[in-house]
Amino acid sequence: MTQFIKTNYNQTIAYNKIEGKKTGIIFLSGFKSDMMGQKALEIEKWATINDHSFLRFDYTGHGKSSGNFDKLVFSDWLKDTMFIIKNLTSGPQILIGSSMGGWIVLSIIKQNFKNIKSIICIAAAPDFPKLLIWDKLSFYQKKELIKNKQIILKKVYDSEEYKYAITYKFIKDSLSNLVMTENLYFKGKVFLYHGMQDEDVPYETSLKISDNIKGASLIQVILEKNGGHRLSEKNELITIKKLIEQSN
């Protein structure tokens, strides 16, 4: 059952939580995704059966949480996550981040957040506004983005074309939240799962992340030869569950 928590910065975050005796698991969804995604729900079922606490939630501007998506940026969603961890969890936690959620996971370990036992990044997209959008725009597209304060981009999923706006504010905010420009220090276990057919975020990104993380007790990069960005096929969900077992 969905519950709501009021933040100290005048937002309301929607979340679902189950209690278990084993290590807590927190699922962090991707950009423009919510807590009702297939991976989040499948992991929740697994956590229930295996007696783990589990928490999924909607960032502000997403799903059932308050906030206007077009006015929010990465810093806001990172703040949401830290608020949720501090106020709704206790004890060791396994962080699972999908796509942008992986960027949030890396941002949290960069800040040496306490009680993070292990991390699992699924098709992680750290620093994506800079690396995958800004750096790939032409000179004229960058001028248009700065002048109009946003640019409309197109993406094809399952033969359907989608349009979405990227604001200059979002790009600028990302530059103050970069995690790939320095080493990250973390003592727990690290699992980086990526599809080699990912057309949104190159799988080499996970290899770079593994190079950047220092001090971990274990780092594994798992590449799915035929996997795309979503990694939500039956065999891929089984792999994710096995990684959670190894994270405990």
Side-chain angles (χ1 to χ4, degrees):
M1 179 179 173
T2 300
Q3 301 180 69
F4 298 87
I5 184 171
K6 188 80 173 178
T7 71
N8 54 6
Y9 46 91
N10 201 34
Q11 294 282 17
T12 301
I13 297 177
Y15 71 94
N16 279 66
K17 184 180 181 183
I18 61 170
E19 298 290 351
K21 295 179 181 178
K22 297 180 182 178
T23 310
I25 302 168
I26 307 172
F27 185 82
L28 308 177
S29 53
F31 181 67
K32 299 197 80 172
S33 296
D34 59 34
M35 63 175 170
M36 297 302 295
Q38 188 175 2
K39 289 190 290 292
L41 297 178
E42 195 69 25
I43 295 170
E44 183 176 73
K45 291 179 185 177
W46 182 92
T48 302
I49 293 170
N50 291 277
D51 200 20
H52 283 267
S53 295
F54 179 76
L55 177 63
R56 55 187 168 94
F57 67 98
D58 288 333
Y59 310 119
T60 48
H62 292 70
K64 296 181 179 179
S65 292
S66 65
N68 183 337
F69 176 86
D70 294 332
K71 294 182 179 180
L72 296 166
V73 292
F74 180 80
S75 291
D76 296 305
W77 304 322
L78 176 57
K79 180 167 64 174
D80 293 339
T81 304
M82 292 191 293
F83 178 86
I84 284 291
I85 294 174
K86 288 178 179 178
N87 288 276
L88 293 179
T89 70
S90 62
Q93 302 292 317
I94 298 169
L95 292 187
I96 304 177
S98 176
S99 193
M100 185 185 77
W103 183 12
I104 292 179
V105 167
L106 297 175
S107 299
I108 288 173
I109 66 169
K110 180 180 178 179
Q111 297 187 26
N112 295 314
F113 224 75
K114 294 181 179 179
N115 289 337
I116 307 305
K117 181 177 183 179
S118 304
I119 65 171
I120 301 173
C121 293
I122 304 169
D127 306 351
F128 79 88
K130 178 186 184 299
L131 299 177
L132 303 180
I133 300 176
W134 179 257
D135 288 354
K136 294 188 176 184
L137 294 178
S138 69
F139 173 77
Y140 296 102
Q141 286 177 312
K142 288 178 179 177
K143 283 186 66 176
E144 177 189 349
L145 175 56
I146 294 170
K147 179 182 178 181
N148 299 327
K149 298 184 180 180
Q150 72 172 28
I151 190 171
I152 304 299
L153 300 178
K154 299 177 182 179
K155 187 67 183 178
V156 176
Y157 271 121
D158 300 327
S159 301
E160 289 189 42
E161 184 178 84
Y162 296 87
K163 295 181 179 180
Y164 59 99
I166 294 293
T167 66
Y168 187 47
K169 179 182 177 182
F170 180 60
I171 297 289
K172 287 198 299 181
D173 175 81
S174 73
L175 299 179
S176 62
N177 287 288
L178 300 179
V179 295
M180 297 294 282
T181 55
E182 59 188 275
N183 290 332
L184 302 173
Y185 296 89
F186 180 64
K187 294 181 179 180
K189 296 179 181 179
V190 178
F191 299 91
L192 306 167
Y193 185 34
H194 219 121
M196 295 182 74
Q197 306 305 316
D198 191 332
E199 296 182 353
D200 295 311
V201 183
Y203 73 86
E204 289 87 355
T205 302
S206 285
L207 299 177
K208 293 177 183 176
I209 294 171
S210 70
D211 287 338
N212 283 10
I213 294 179
K214 307 298 180 184
S217 60
L218 173 70
I219 299 181
Q220 287 188 1
V221 179
I222 303 93
L223 298 179
E224 191 70 53
K225 183 176 181 180
N226 297 312
H229 185 62
R230 296 181 178 179
L231 292 174
S232 294
E233 298 296 325
K234 185 176 181 180
N235 66 300
E236 296 162 352
L237 294 171
I238 290 173
T239 296
I240 292 170
K241 294 170 192 175
K242 288 181 179 178
L243 294 179
I244 301 172
E245 290 177 345
Q246 295 178 58
S247 300
N248 199 18

